[in-house]
């Protein structure tokens, strides 16, 4: 059969021309177009004709000429090596067998490489397979198909992926910021919060049509107000407008997934690892594999210089935008517009900076911080602003109070309204009100809102200053004045048949101790009664008639800084001479209050016995003796551990307050007779810390908060305390049955506060309390509404801004902004400020109004009023009045 030159060029040369892998070294039969049935004479004629064709075509300029030149060059090498053997059919059979063996090995290696590269995807597109197969010139179509089958891959048609969001650039960036606040990667989770995993390809794709978005927006409007709900409603509003403008939300969702995948590929992540990125975004496994398999090799084209400047401005990177503007060509059609916008924002930042400096100078720290934060929202890359905000002193602490405790001073205060996560405090004591953090003696420095000065000088007018800092300068001080006049402590009374002895501990700085005695009744004021001679540490008195109780009014005397006498509060000691005093401790009244998970405070009281010394001991086991038994003193000391703390005599009782470990213990009072070396066993008391409540939650509804918790199994009584920011706390007790029937509801003010719950257990000896669990109660944000009303005729540019609130509000700050484009601005920085109003005092019954003139912007554009202060206000935007088109 004659050599068909046209068919050879079409079937052999042209495919080799487009094959990037070059010539297969073993597929000689295909390259020479030799068939197995050719004889020796036919081979000679065929090879002569094909060599002539290669020689003629190798001097051409097309891609086929290059292939012919390659074939002709290799043919010269084969002829030199094999000569006339190339005319033998045997030689061609051997070459064919050699090619078959190599092809099988190549096909196996090709299958392994495909599995390694695309196994995680489970699929490969036809275009990818064609491109890759071109680098394996020794494999024919059947061998390639077999390799794909062994690799476990499916050959699919590529999915057409969107290259843009379809939305206005500004609107899309606003949508992405809202998604970031919600913590969702795609618009699918905005519309279907619980819809993952979802499909985006094929007929089973998730519903993202206009009706679905509208229904979700209506559902969101019925939810209780919260930050996340407001953010989702705003995002749904953007999607509603996008759908009305013809945006395909399904394509938008695919685009958001593709953006993540392209970012991953740009960081060098292999395609197999891109599939989990897509499924983490919520996409179903099959769709994720198809999208990754269809990703184009080239990256998304970069935005133009002007678009990058707009993005930098929108992201609050004003200084970077100014630098980018410097290299924007002056003939760019948007150069002047961008320069005006950047210059205006730079001027606004500088104005805010100067206003912050003035506010700090006039001791308006909150205002200064707010102004600097406003400036940082516009120019977040301005390190000078950030440094200035970080160094700014916060407002002084609030509600500072001081009270005398024992021989010291207990100070408590409320944290200032500072934005930092942690505020540090320095407490300073001085003889006059301290003006700076170094003006006096530092008592303590730390992050707690309370402190104790354990050793203040007594009978002196002391001034305490508490300073706050968030890492920069110390604030102005909160100051308080107090004089500490410590009374005697650790008062003890012994009654003998003919003598009363009383001992106490006086402050070392006391000038002396004065005592007056009354009979049968306690003294009512320091000068009440008959003077009794007393020393610095005690007194001795006779028992009189031996039947009438004696009371001793004890006053400690000091001298102040002017040498004037200052007397302490009155302390009364009681000498019980009546027969009602027991011979030993018969019963102890006690309760335990948890301090934290490891410690508790035990409060014990008993009738003071007629004689002996009482020692209370704590043990994990009950005593082996009956109450009233007399035992040796050494036996007592081998039982448990003694409670060591100051005691207070109040009338006929002795009080003891001591810190103990958490847990259940037996407390036993022993009345010790030192003269005989014996002790009388009192009645034991079993006490322990109560298990705390669990899963405490407080849900506010209007002016009422509903408190719920999980009861410990053995607890049937709880104490609930609501502490408002100002005013006394509200304490309420309720049983488990009351809680089950009616729950726990507490009326609260709009300012919020904190609610705590502790479990209470009652026993024969008293009550035990758990560690309190507490949660905050949110304050109700003020509701602000506004309207943008036309003033004048239909072509008038005059408007009236009217603002109303639901309750009185001071220090209101408003920004009226105009923003060009189809998307409503979500931040003040996205538009031009038409009016800024500060320091407003608004009332519910008197709407505040501001006339203004519409700006000369190209339509469409939006008008929006932003409430800067108070923070967290619930703003109702009149959407139908805001867009100017």
């Amino acid at each position: 059969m004659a050599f068909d030159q046209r068919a050879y060029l079409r079937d052999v040369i042209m495919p080799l021309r487009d094959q990037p892998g070059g010539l297969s070294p073993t597929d000689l039969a295909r390259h020479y177009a030799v068939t197995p049935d050719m004889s020796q004479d036919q081979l000679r004629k065929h090879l002569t004709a094909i060599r002539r064709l290669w020689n003629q075509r190798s001097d051409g300029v097309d891609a086929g000429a290059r292939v012919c030149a390659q074939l002709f060059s290799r043919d010269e090498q084969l002829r030199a090596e094999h000569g006339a053997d190339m005319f033998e059919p045997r030689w061609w059979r051997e070459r064919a067998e050699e090619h078959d063996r190599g092809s099988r090995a190549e096909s196996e290696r090709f299958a392994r490489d495909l599995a390694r590269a695309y196994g995680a995807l489970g699929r490969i597109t036809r275009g990818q397979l064609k491109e890759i197969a071109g680098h394996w010139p020794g494999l024919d179509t059947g061998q390639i198909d077999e390799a794909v089958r062994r690799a476990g891959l499916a050959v699919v048609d590529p999915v057409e992926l969107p290259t843009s969001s379809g939305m206005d650039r500004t609107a899309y960036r606003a949508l992405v910021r809202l998604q970031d606040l919600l913590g969702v990667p795609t618009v699918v989770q905005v519309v279907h919060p619980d819809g993952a995993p979802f499909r985006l390809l094929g007929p089973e794709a998730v519903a993202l049509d206009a009706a679905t978005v509208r229904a979700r927006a209506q559902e969101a409007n019925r939810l209780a107000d919260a930050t996340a709900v407001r953010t989702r409603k705003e995002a749904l509003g953007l999607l509603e407008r996008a759908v009305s403008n013809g945006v395909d939300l399904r394509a938008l969702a695919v685009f958001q997934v593709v953006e993540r995948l392209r970012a991953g590929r740009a960081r060098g992540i292999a395609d197999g690892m891109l599939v989990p990125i897509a499924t983490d975004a919520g996409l179903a496994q099959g769709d994720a594999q198809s999208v990754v398999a269809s990703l184009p090799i080239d990256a998304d084209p970069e935005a133009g210089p002007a678009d990058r400047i707009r993005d930098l401005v929108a992201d609050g990177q004003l200084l970077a935008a100014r630098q980018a503007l410097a290299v924007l060509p002056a003939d760019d059609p948007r150069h002047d517009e961008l320069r005006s916008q950047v210059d205006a924002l730079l001027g606004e930042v500088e104005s805010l900076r100067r206003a912050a400096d003035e506010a700090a100078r006039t001791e308006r720290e909150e205002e200064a911080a707010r102004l600097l934060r406003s400036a940082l929202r516009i120019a977040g890359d301005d390190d000078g602003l950030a440094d200035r905000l970080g160094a700014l002193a916060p407002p002084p602490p609030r509600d500072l109070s001081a009270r005398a405790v024992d021989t010291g001073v207990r100070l408590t205060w409320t944290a200032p309204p500072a934005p930092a996560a942690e505020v540090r405090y320095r407490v300073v004591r001085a003889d006059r009100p301290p003006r700076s953090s170094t003006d006096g003696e530092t008592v303590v420095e730390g992050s707690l809102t309370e402190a104790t000065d354990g050793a203040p000088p007594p009978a002196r007018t002391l001034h305490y200053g508490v300073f706050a800092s968030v890492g920069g300068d110390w604030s102005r001080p909160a100051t308080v004045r107090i004089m500490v006049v410590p009374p005697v402590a650790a008062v003890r009374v012994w009654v003998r048949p003919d003598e009363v002895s009383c001992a106490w501990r006086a402050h070392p700085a006391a000038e002396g101790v004065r005592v007056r005695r009354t009979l049968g009744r306690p003294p009512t004021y320091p000068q009440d009664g008959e003077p009794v001679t007393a020393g610095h540490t005690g007194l001795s008195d006779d028992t009189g008639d031996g039947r009438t109780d004696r009371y001793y009014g004890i006053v400690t005397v000091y001298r102040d800084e002017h040498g004037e006498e200052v007397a302490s509060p009155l302390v009364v000691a009681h000498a019980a001479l009546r027969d009602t005093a027991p011979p030993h401790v018969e019963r102890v009244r006690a309760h335990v209050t948890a301090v934290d998970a490891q410690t508790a405070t035990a409060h014990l009281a008993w009738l003071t016995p007629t004689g002996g010394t009482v020692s209370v001991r704590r043990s994990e086991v009950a005593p082996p003796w009956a109450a009233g038994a007399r035992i040796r003193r050494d036996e007592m000391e081998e039982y448990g551990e003694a409670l060591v703390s100051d005691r207070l005599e109040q009338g006929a009782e002795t009080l003891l307050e001591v810190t103990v470990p958490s847990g259940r213990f037996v407390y036993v009072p022993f009345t010790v007779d030192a003269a005989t070396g014996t002790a009388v066993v009192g009645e034991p008391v079993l006490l322990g810390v109560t298990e705390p409540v669990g899963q405490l939650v407080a849900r506010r509804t209007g002016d009422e908060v509903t408190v719920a918790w999980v009861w410990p199994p053995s607890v049937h009584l709880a104490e609930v305390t609501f502490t408002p920011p100002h005013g006394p706390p509200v304490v309420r007790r309720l049983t488990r049955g009351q809680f089950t029937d009616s729950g726990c509801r507490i009326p609260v003010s709009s300012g919020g506060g904190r609610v705590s719950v502790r479990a209470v257990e009652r026993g024969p000896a008293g009550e035990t309390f758990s560690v309190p669990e507490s949660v905050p109660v949110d304050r109700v944000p003020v509701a602000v509404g506004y309207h943008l009303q036309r003033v004048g005729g239909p072509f008038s540019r005059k408007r009236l801004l009217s603002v109303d609130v639901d309750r009185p509000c001071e220090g209101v700050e408003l920004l009226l902004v105009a923003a060009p484009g189809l998307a409503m601005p979500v931040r003040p920085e996205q538009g031009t400020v038409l009016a800024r109003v500060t320091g407003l005092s608004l009332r519910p019954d008197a709407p505040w109004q501001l006339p203004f003139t519409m700006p000369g912007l190209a339509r469409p554009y939006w008008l929006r009023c932003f409430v800067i202060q108070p923070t967290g206000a619930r703003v109702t935007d009149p959407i139908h009045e805001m867009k100017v088109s």
Side-chain angles (χ1 to χ4, degrees), residues 309-320:
I309 294 172
R310 289 188 186 277
D311 292 345
L312 289 170
V313 170
D315 290 338
Q317 305 293 308
L318 186 60
L319 300 189

Side-chain angles (χ1 to χ4, degrees), residues 19 23-27 30 99 103 106 136-140 143:
Q19 189 164 278
L23 301 177
S24 169
T26 61
D27 197 9
R30 183 163 69 95
H99 174 66
S103 294
E106 283 288 279
W136 298 76
L139 301 180
D140 59 26
Q143 292 167 327

Side-chain angles (χ1 to χ4, degrees), residues 85-168:
D85 287 345
M86 296 184 68
F87 301 131
E88 297 291 336
R90 171 189 52 79
W91 187 88
W92 286 100
R93 286 195 297 273
E94 291 174 354
R95 302 287 79 74
E97 293 172 358
E98 179 184 348
H99 174 66
D100 289 342
R101 290 192 299 272
S103 294
R104 284 194 295 272
E106 283 288 279
S107 179
E108 293 174 0
R109 187 163 69 88
F110 184 43
R112 290 195 299 271
D113 288 351
L114 285 175
R116 246 191 327 266
Y118 293 92
L121 299 179
R123 60 200 65 199
I124 186 172
T125 66
R126 300 186 191 281
Q128 290 170 333
L129 181 61
K130 179 180 178 182
E131 183 68 25
I132 295 170
H135 293 271
W136 298 76
L139 301 180
D140 59 26
T141 303
Q143 292 167 327
I144 289 172
D145 291 343
E146 176 63 19
V148 170
R149 186 190 63 77
R150 284 203 299 268
L153 302 179
V155 180
V156 297
D157 292 322
V159 177
E160 184 176 352
L161 301 178
T163 58
S164 68
S165 67
M167 294 179 65
D168 173 77

Side-chain angles (χ1 to χ4, degrees), residues 538-561:
L539 62 81
S540 179
D541 192 19
D542 60 59
T543 57
D545 60 8
R547 294 187 303 273
T548 305
D549 285 2
R550 297 194 163 205
Y551 293 86
Y552 299 92
I554 308 169
V555 174
T556 312
V557 180
Y558 300 86
R559 294 286 175 180
D560 65 14
E561 61 267 36

Side-chain angles (χ1 to χ4, degrees), residues 467-483:
F467 300 82
S469 174
V470 290
D473 295 337
W474 290 101
S475 71
R476 294 180 289 115
T479 59
V480 68
R481 182 178 65 180
I482 189 173
M483 178 181 286

Side-chain angles (χ1 to χ4, degrees), residues 510-598:
E511 185 178 74
V513 178
R514 294 176 184 167
V515 181
R516 287 179 177 267
R517 178 183 62 221
T518 56
L519 302 178
R521 62 173 180 83
T524 57
Y525 55 95
Q527 290 76 33
D528 188 11
E530 180 183 0
V532 175
T533 302
H536 205 78
T537 59
L539 62 81
S540 179
D541 192 19
D542 60 59
T543 57
D545 60 8
R547 294 187 303 273
T548 305
D549 285 2
R550 297 194 163 205
Y551 293 86
Y552 299 92
I554 308 169
V555 174
T556 312
V557 180
Y558 300 86
R559 294 286 175 180
D560 65 14
E561 61 267 36
H562 306 295
E564 299 293 330
E565 183 179 286
V566 180
S568 74
L570 178 70
V571 174
V572 178
H574 177 207
L577 303 182
R578 294 169 297 176
D579 295 336
T580 56
H584 60 270
V585 177
E586 297 173 343
R587 178 175 296 178
V588 172
R589 293 187 297 104
H591 70 268
V592 174
T593 303
V595 176
D596 52 36
Q598 289 77 38

Side-chain angles (χ1 to χ4, degrees), residues 411-468:
L411 298 150
T412 59
W413 60 88
T414 303
E422 181 179 8
V423 183
R424 292 193 63 80
Y425 304 98
R426 176 179 290 179
V427 180
V428 173
R429 183 185 69 222
D431 295 331
R432 54 185 175 83
R435 293 187 295 270
S436 71
S437 60
T438 58
D439 189 9
E441 179 181 351
T442 299
V443 175
V444 70
E445 185 174 322
S447 58
L448 299 178
T449 55
E450 58 184 35
T452 299
D453 186 1
R460 297 287 187 273
T461 301
L462 303 176
H463 296 267
Y464 289 90
V466 181
F467 300 82

